[in-house]
Amino acid sequence: MTAMMKATVFVAPGRIELVDKPIPAIGPNDALIRITTTTICGTDVHILKGEYPVVPGLTIGHEPVGVIEKLGSAVQGYQEGQRVIAGAICPNFNSYAAQDGAPSQDGSYLIPLHQCGGHGYKATAGWRFGNLIDGTQAEYVLVPDAQANLAPIPDGLSDEQVLMCPDIMSTGFKGAENANIKLGDTVVVFAQGPIGLCATAGARLMGATTVIAVDGNDHRLGISKVMGADVTLNFRNCDVVSEVMKLTGGRGADSAIEALGTQATFEQALRVLKPGGTLSSLGVYSSDLTIPMSAFAAGLGDHRINTALCPGGKERMRRLMNVVASQRVDLGVLVTHTYKLDDIVAAYELFANQRDGVLKVAIKPN
């Protein structure tokens, strides 16, 4: 009989279930990872609500920390029993898109159609876990193109310390990288959820000397101070655009990072910018955006808007874990709750409704 595992699957909008599924069989370029810790992402909540479509029965989740259970015959440089992570984005680095500098947008969507995944470009198609293939909220996950996507965990780092690396840290830091931050810059980070907090930390590491964190939750604003914010603004208590202009002597911010995905935060991020400033957009938007003419200087203000899907691959993961190992930032503090995989429906209810000061939930299969 086929060995079975527990897995969290999308059933229909508003409904996920923990079911039994066969443990995946791997091919020569794959690895089977026994999950020791994973987590729930805001994108998973979009899936649960039906705002991002996936096929019913798909195992969701995309943030794996675990141990190599089995290696494909072609995978070299790793060993079974080794602790590893893999990026939430696990592209085929042989693809045209990857070699063109956009691996997160590669042709992996072609593989289910029995076509070559190295061809074609499609936005977000480098995101496979819990999107195109079964994901990580399970006892085991198959990692495709394992030699390019598995990253060994340095000795001495706990699961919780590296749990943010596959997605949240990679995404937040990419927001800072895309913001074109220079030494001495003023950067405003809108929304201090887990991604925004990582963007705040990333902005400081990139050389910003004034990091302004914006949120409506004083608890999260307090954590943003730990992550590197110099100034915190609660949008419920002040006009954020006016306050930023006061803080910058009317000049405006050099960069703004939008980490929520709403019209209001996007528009404010644009309005706080100086002419020639950069808006780095990380939000997952569920409706059309409108760009106000005045904030955009009618298209004549030399503004730059950059969007991103978090980078993946073993080198990206290695670098992020180096940041953690060097104690430049402690993201373990973002893990506020721990649940067993058996209780994942309750964990979703907590996380989706943002109760009890939750930031990130560690999910433990055993």
Side-chain angles (χ1 to χ4, degrees), residues 69-146:
E69 184 80 6
K70 189 175 181 180
L71 285 169
S73 59
V75 181
Q76 299 181 359
Y78 302 87
Q79 59 187 8
E80 293 175 1
Q82 190 172 22
R83 294 179 66 226
V84 292
I85 65 171
I89 308 303
C90 50
N92 172 1
F93 283 91
N94 293 314
S95 67
Y96 282 109
Q99 294 190 26
D100 193 30
S104 299
Q105 324 295 344
D106 79 0
S108 296
Y109 69 100
L110 294 170
I111 297 173
L113 304 175
H114 304 291
Q115 300 178 36
C116 178
H119 297 80
Y121 292 69
K122 186 176 182 180
T124 78
W127 166 32
R128 289 195 261 184
F129 293 137
N131 181 27
L132 300 176
I133 63 174
D134 279 339
T136 65
Q137 291 169 15
E139 292 181 288
Y140 295 89
V141 67
L142 181 152
V143 177
D145 297 299

Side-chain angles (χ1 to χ4, degrees), residues 170 172-181 202 206 257 280 306 311 316:
S170 188
F173 277 32
K174 182 61 174 176
E177 291 160 333
N178 270 3
N180 297 315
I181 296 168
M206 294 290 291
I257 302 171
S280 176
N306 287 333
R316 177 70 171 184

Side-chain angles (χ1 to χ4, degrees), residues 180-323:
N180 297 315
I181 296 168
K182 298 186 290 294
L183 291 172
D185 273 356
T186 295
V187 179
V188 187
V189 185
F190 285 85
Q192 293 297 293
I195 287 177
L197 289 167
C198 289
T200 295
R204 170 57 62 88
L205 289 173
M206 294 290 291
T209 50
T210 304
V211 180
I212 303 169
V214 180
D215 202 277
N217 182 307
D218 285 332
H219 174 65
R220 291 189 174 194
L221 288 172
I223 297 172
S224 74
K225 285 278 194 176
V226 177
M227 290 294 126
D230 300 286
V231 179
T232 60
L233 299 176
N234 188 320
F235 66 79
R236 302 181 193 280
N237 302 329
C238 69
D239 182 319
V240 170
V241 177
S242 295
E243 287 298 316
V244 171
M245 289 303 167
K246 288 178 187 176
L247 289 166
T248 59
R251 179 174 180 269
D254 298 286
S255 305
I257 302 171
E258 198 288 308
L260 183 61
T262 68
Q263 173 67 37
T265 49
F266 180 88
E267 184 171 330
Q268 285 198 321
L270 192 56
R271 290 190 183 279
V272 300
L273 285 180
K274 70 177 186 181
T278 299
L279 193 167
S280 176
S281 171
L282 294 175
V284 179
Y285 303 96
S286 55
S287 60
D288 289 344
L289 290 173
T290 300
I291 296 179
M293 182 182 68
S294 59
F296 201 47
L300 303 175
D302 282 327
H303 297 108
R304 182 179 293 122
I305 298 175
N306 287 333
T307 66
L309 178 63
C310 71
K314 62 185 179 185
E315 174 61 6
R316 177 70 171 184
M317 295 300 107
R318 183 191 69 82
R319 288 175 177 270
L320 295 178
M321 287 190 289
N322 275 356
V323 174

